[in-house]
Amino acid sequence: MEVIIRSTYEEMSKVGAQIVADVLNTKPNSVIGMATGSTPLGVYAELVRMHREEGLDFSQVTTFNLDEYVGLPTDHPQSYHSFMHEHFFQHVNIPPQNIYIPSGTTSNYNAFCEWYEQRILDAGGIDIQILGIGSDGHIAFNEPMSSLASRTRLKTLARSTIEDNARFFDKIEDVPIYAITMGVGTILEARELLILANGKNKAAAIAGAIEGPVTSMITASALQLHPSVKCCLDADAASELTMIDYYDWVQEKKPGAPRL
Ligand code: PGA
């Protein structure tokens, strides 16, 4: 895992966006896994800026979102369909037919989840998956004790996740209790993973995910099993890591490393 620490959220977001842009510049028809939540907003804003000002082209891109709340219609302001449209899709040139977001309103969740997994395979797999992390260490909505081999499925959200996300709703009772989420196993099949975290309330989860044992109690720790992970943090999210000097040393020495 490559751990990249920047002092501010803005700097961290710029690094994250550049990592995505590098994938896209190498492979214009990349398949990008998208995440919602406050964390990736800075990355999306920077990618939109690159699209507008530098011509970063999304015309051949396909996207798959990690998750969606169950029960919210797609046009509900807090649905992840609305979120993605508002913060990213309406600002770039991804063909609408190439955008996949799990359905929170299907009548057959099992069939939908199987179809979603198949669509990812048909698209050739995900080239880079963007991830946030929950304060309970979840990736997507894979709450503690989710199988590290799990696939896309219906999940019951943890109380802590409902409390964390209540800030987006009028009252906590309005937060959905269930979600459709890609599984940890689904996420680990992406060729490259980019996990982002900022703020003190993520510091413990990040320390557990990066330096703790691999455990389904912190599903983000499964990323230790993946061969190509970049972890972009601000200083607050990195504050409980014990090996910061080493991570910074590796970054500092990178330009001099032998070319692969
Ligand atoms: P956040 O959510 O970016 O809004 O903090 C992250 C997550 O729950 O995965």
Side-chain angles (χ1 to χ4, degrees), residues 36-40 67 80 131-136 138-141 161 164-165 167-168 196 198 201-202:
T36 49
S38 345
T39 311
D67 44 21
Y80 289 165
L131 297 163
I133 184 169
S135 60
D136 64 358
H138 69 205
I139 42 171
F141 277 134
T161 299
D164 284 350
N165 291 357
R167 67 190 194 278
F168 298 114
L196 307 158
N198 65 291
N201 67 326
K202 300 295 174 66

Side-chain angles (χ1 to χ4, degrees), residues 34 58-59 61-63 88-89 92-99:
M34 311 299 292
F58 292 84
S59 64
V61 164
T62 300
T63 64
F88 191 59
F89 293 141
V92 294
N93 61 334
I94 303 174
Q97 68 275 17
N98 288 7
I99 292 172

Side-chain angles (χ1 to χ4, degrees), residues 1-6 15 195 206 210-211 229-233 238 241 243-244 246-252 254:
M1 188 178 307
E2 194 179 329
V3 182
I4 306 164
I5 302 165
R6 293 289 182 270
V15 173
I195 184 161
I206 280 293
I210 296 179
E211 295 179 344
V229 181
K230 292 191 174 76
C231 181
C232 276
L233 307 173
L241 293 171
M243 303 262 294
I244 292 181
Y246 172 62
Y247 308 137
D248 288 347
W249 162 265
V250 171
Q251 290 302 312
E252 192 188 307
K254 238 181 129 180

Side-chain angles (χ1 to χ4, degrees), residues 57-76:
D57 180 28
F58 292 84
S59 64
Q60 298 177 62
V61 164
T62 300
T63 64
F64 287 91
N65 263 80
L66 287 169
D67 44 21
E68 176 59 290
Y69 288 122
V70 163
L72 298 188
T74 51
D75 61 356
H76 187 285

Side-chain angles (χ1 to χ4, degrees), residues 40-247:
L41 286 175
V43 168
Y44 294 156
E46 177 63 7
L47 287 171
V48 168
R49 189 200 63 74
M50 288 172 164
H51 170 66
R52 286 193 181 139
E53 294 175 14
E54 295 164 14
L56 185 66
D57 180 28
F58 292 84
S59 64
Q60 298 177 62
V61 164
T62 300
T63 64
F64 287 91
N65 263 80
L66 287 169
D67 44 21
E68 176 59 290
Y69 288 122
V70 163
L72 298 188
T74 51
D75 61 356
H76 187 285
Q78 294 309 330
S79 78
Y80 289 165
H81 282 74
S82 296
F83 178 100
M84 288 307 302
H85 184 71
E86 181 185 342
H87 294 291
F88 191 59
F89 293 141
Q90 68 167 326
H91 306 292
V92 294
N93 61 334
I94 303 174
Q97 68 275 17
N98 288 7
I99 292 172
Y100 294 90
I101 303 176
S103 168
T105 53
T106 175
S107 57
N108 186 335
Y109 286 99
N110 277 345
F112 178 83
C113 292
E114 271 178 40
W115 176 85
Y116 200 71
E117 292 265 343
Q118 190 58 48
R119 291 305 304 149
I120 296 173
L121 290 177
D122 294 346
I126 292 172
D127 290 300
I128 182 164
Q129 175 67 57
I130 301 167
L131 297 163
I133 184 169
S135 60
D136 64 358
H138 69 205
I139 42 171
F141 277 134
N142 293 287
E143 302 289 28
M145 298 308 294
S146 290
S147 162
L148 301 187
S150 51
R151 312 301 309 186
T152 304
R153 69 211 183 289
L154 185 81
K155 274 299 287 183
T156 306
L157 301 184
R159 279 183 212 273
S160 61
T161 299
I162 292 172
E163 284 160 16
D164 284 350
N165 291 357
R167 67 190 194 278
F168 298 114
F169 292 81
D170 290 338
K171 48 187 193 311
I172 195 163
E173 293 75 29
D174 294 343
V175 184
I177 293 169
Y178 307 101
I180 295 283
T181 180
M182 276 190 210
V184 181
T186 319
I187 291 167
L188 290 179
E189 282 171 14
R191 287 181 194 91
E192 195 174 332
L193 303 176
L194 169 63
I195 184 161
L196 307 158
N198 65 291
K200 278 259 181 241
N201 67 326
K202 300 295 174 66
I206 280 293
I210 296 179
E211 295 179 344
V214 174
T215 168
S216 59
M217 287 297 285
I218 298 177
T219 54
S221 67
L223 269 48
Q224 295 176 32
L225 302 170
H226 191 284
S228 185
V229 181
K230 292 191 174 76
C231 181
C232 276
L233 307 173
D234 79 347
D236 283 340
S239 60
E240 290 187 29
L241 293 171
T242 62
M243 303 262 294
I244 292 181
D245 285 352
Y246 172 62
Y247 308 137

